[in-house]
Amino acid sequence: MNNFSKIGFILAALGSSIGLGHIWRFPYIAGENGGGAFVLFYLFLALFVGIAMLIGEMLIGNKGKANAFKSYEALAPSSCKKWKYAGLSLIGGPIILSFYAIVLGWVFYYLCKVSFSLPTDMESSNAIFTHLYTQGFLEQNLGFIFVMLVSGWVISRGVKKGIEMLNLILTPLLFIIFFGLLLYAMSMESFPKALNFMLSFDIEGVKKALQPDVFINSLGQVFFSLSLGVGIIITYAASSQDNQNLLKSALWIVLSGVVIAIMAGLMIFTFVYEYDGAVGEGVGLIFKTLPVMLSHLGILGNVIAFLFLLAFSFAGITSAISLLEPAVMYVSESLGWSRARATWSIVLATLALGELIIASICTPLSEILSFKGKSLMDIVEFLSANIIMTLGGLLAVIFIGWVVPKGNLRNFTQSFFTPAMFALWYGIMRYIAPFITIVILIAMCAKFFSDENLIQLLFD
């Protein structure tokens, strides 16, 4: 098998997790839910629960050495081989990609057009985004098809020449760009205010961070920011080295993701505070508020907007390819197809679903392609990211905690776990992680039937 290098595996897994959740959602949720207290609470959960779940999925792939379906089968005892069907959660990847690539296409539209002519007031900024969303059929198609073609080309080149090579280039560049933007933000008068917004720690913040809603938000952030539940980590780990230290890999992935999220938040909110913007603008902060804030800087604002969107597009592309790879490996190994044939077949299927989604939001078909006030995009996003992903994560932790023999797990982890560390990890996977994923599943269903979904937030 064409394996990742040790650093290549870490960068690929990190690239899969860094996207909208890390770059925008984390700092926004942190600021709204207790600031520094939330950050510490999230970090505790990520280190205590997130890493445990990450290692669990890594083990399935690293020891199974095949696609998610076959890796489950390889690790299951002879009496439990039906657990292989848990690997079919990988179908969530292309489904998620069908709308994720559309949103990423918006980023490329802003990168190539809006960053060179930033709107100077909220009215014109709203008009730009509203036109793109409701009337920009051609623009959305160009961005969507571009993302899918790039993702397909990278995946078709294989693990070493495609996935690892892209992540070796883009992931470090993402950190370099964000670090440079953060250094500039630190020179502005509003940086201390942004720092306080993101990292303040007081009694009131602690109380707020311990509220049930905040607890659910932090659990959801841990879960979804680590690409759990759709076979990505299992598939990438199947191509990792046999002697890969999974504990160190998980630590690198989690801590690096938190660092990039904090860097992004500090930079974004410095500009927002500098020009009296509103921090509670939902996902529209990136597409509507931030461009207006940066327009005050003249040509420098155009440069900053371009660099930020470039970094954001890097994060999006690395996430997009990770959503494609599990299905490609499964189809290739199960049907005996070449990687290229498997890749482009899945790309075509994803394109077809994506075209329906675009038609549902910016053509007269929008009324037909909706259900009880929810657009097709809302429905696909909910089913894949909240049902398939969460169920996949739940099946993974139950499989590790209750199906794979404990002795096998101890042998798998003895190179990086002491007996005490193993006991703690095993307890988390057996009891705590299943409880958490069930809580997330219930909470996400409740959230969907309120009005708090991704697309609606864009227009709040």
Side-chain angles (χ1 to χ4, degrees):
M1 181 177 286
N2 193 12
N3 288 340
F4 288 114
S5 64
K6 290 185 178 181
I7 186 63
F9 168 67
I10 294 172
L11 289 176
L14 179 60
S16 75
S17 70
I18 294 179
L20 182 62
H22 271 116
I23 293 177
W24 177 82
R25 188 179 186 273
F26 175 81
Y28 171 73
I29 294 295
E32 290 296 298
N33 295 282
F38 174 89
V39 173
L40 289 177
F41 188 42
Y42 166 80
L43 189 58
F44 170 76
L45 287 172
L47 292 173
F48 185 65
V49 179
I51 286 179
M53 296 174 69
L54 199 59
I55 291 173
E57 290 205 7
M58 287 179 179
L59 278 175
I60 296 172
N62 185 257
K63 301 306 176 183
K65 288 299 179 186
N67 62 74
F69 188 88
K70 290 185 178 179
S71 288
Y72 271 101
E73 184 178 28
L75 267 65
S78 57
S79 60
C80 302
K81 291 302 181 182
K82 288 186 178 180
W83 269 92
K84 64 186 180 181
Y85 294 107
L88 292 179
S89 59
L90 58 82
I91 194 176
I95 297 175
I96 293 172
L97 184 58
S98 68
F99 68 84
Y100 188 90
I102 294 171
V103 177
L104 185 54
W106 302 347
V107 176
F108 279 104
Y109 174 80
Y110 271 69
L111 172 68
C112 297
K113 185 173 181 179
V114 180
S115 65
F116 294 99
S117 181
L118 295 172
T120 57
D121 57 77
M122 286 304 300
E123 183 178 357
S124 56
S125 186
N126 285 331
I128 290 172
F129 183 80
T130 300
H131 174 80
L132 173 65
Y133 186 79
T134 62
Q135 301 177 45
F137 182 78
L138 177 61
E139 293 90 337
Q140 292 204 51
N141 265 285
L142 288 174
F144 173 56
I145 293 172
F146 173 75
V147 171
M148 291 305 306
L149 289 178
V150 171
S151 300
W153 178 76
V154 172
I155 291 295
S156 68
R157 288 176 57 82
V159 170
K160 292 289 290 185
K161 294 181 179 180
I163 301 172
E164 179 169 333
M165 183 63 66
L166 183 80
N167 280 282
L168 282 172
I169 296 171
L170 295 192
T171 304
L173 281 176
L174 169 67
F175 277 88
I176 291 170
I177 292 172
F178 268 32
F179 184 70
L181 293 176
L182 179 62
L183 286 178
Y184 178 77
M186 290 173 67
S187 69
M188 304 181 78
E189 292 182 0
S190 294
F191 181 77
K193 192 173 182 180
L195 189 65
N196 182 66
F197 178 76
M198 283 286 297
L199 302 175
S200 60
F201 184 85
D202 53 38
I203 298 300
E204 290 302 316
V206 173
K207 291 179 179 178
K208 194 171 185 180
L210 295 177
Q211 295 298 311
D213 287 347
V214 181
F215 179 72
I216 296 299
N217 282 334
S218 59
L219 290 177
Q221 182 66 25
V222 169
F223 190 87
F224 296 114
S225 66
L226 297 179
S227 299
L228 300 171
V230 286
I232 294 172
I233 299 302
I234 295 174
T235 301
Y236 277 3
S239 298
S240 65
Q241 301 290 324
D242 290 334
N243 62 345
Q244 186 89 27
N245 187 318
L246 301 184
L247 176 60
K248 286 185 178 179
S249 298
L251 282 168
W252 273 107
I253 293 165
V254 171
L255 293 177
S256 298
V258 171
V259 167
I260 200 69
I262 292 176
M263 289 171 64
L266 290 173
M267 183 268 293
I268 290 170
F269 291 118
T270 295
F271 293 120
V272 170
Y273 281 126
E274 187 76 9
Y275 299 105
D276 299 319
V279 297
E281 287 291 329
V283 181
L285 178 67
I286 289 176
F287 294 112
K288 296 189 290 187
T289 304
L290 191 61
V292 176
M293 300 301 101
L294 293 176
S295 70
H296 294 284
L297 295 173
I299 188 64
L300 182 59
N302 296 103
V303 173
I304 293 173
F306 181 84
L307 290 175
F308 172 77
L309 292 167
L310 184 65
F312 193 33
S313 67
F314 288 168
I317 284 293
T318 55
S319 294
I321 64 171
S322 72
L323 291 166
L324 197 57
E325 173 64 10
V328 169
M329 179 181 279
Y330 172 73
V331 170
S332 178
E333 292 182 352
S334 299
L335 301 181
W337 288 5
S338 68
R339 169 169 280 267
R341 182 183 179 186
T343 298
W344 294 113
S345 296
I346 295 170
V347 165
L348 286 174
T350 307
L351 279 168
L353 179 56
E355 287 299 329
L356 280 177
I357 292 174
I358 293 175
S360 76
I361 57 178
C362 61
T363 74
L365 293 175
S366 58
E367 293 186 6
I368 299 174
L369 298 172
S370 64
F371 180 74
K372 291 186 177 181
K374 304 294 183 182
S375 71
L376 181 60
M377 194 164 197
D378 292 331
I379 295 168
V380 171
E381 186 264 339
F382 167 70
L383 290 176
S384 55
N386 296 324
I387 299 298
I388 296 175
M389 201 171 190
T390 308
L391 282 177
L394 179 61
L395 290 172
V397 296
I398 292 175
F399 181 73
I400 291 293
W402 295 90
V403 178
V404 180
K406 185 177 181 179
N408 290 359
L409 293 174
R410 184 68 190 104
N411 290 333
F412 293 158
T413 60
Q414 62 184 351
S415 64
F416 53 85
F417 274 159
T418 65
M421 292 168 66
F422 174 80
L424 175 62
W425 172 77
Y426 188 69
I428 293 171
M429 295 299 292
R430 194 171 175 85
Y431 302 108
I432 298 175
F435 170 75
I436 284 175
T437 50
I438 290 172
V439 168
I440 293 172
L441 181 61
I442 294 172
M444 291 299 104
C445 289
K447 181 176 288 189
F448 180 74
F449 291 106
S450 67
D451 290 326
E452 299 178 27
N453 55 70
L454 172 63
I455 304 306
Q456 190 148 8
L457 280 170
L458 286 167
F459 295 96
D460 284 350

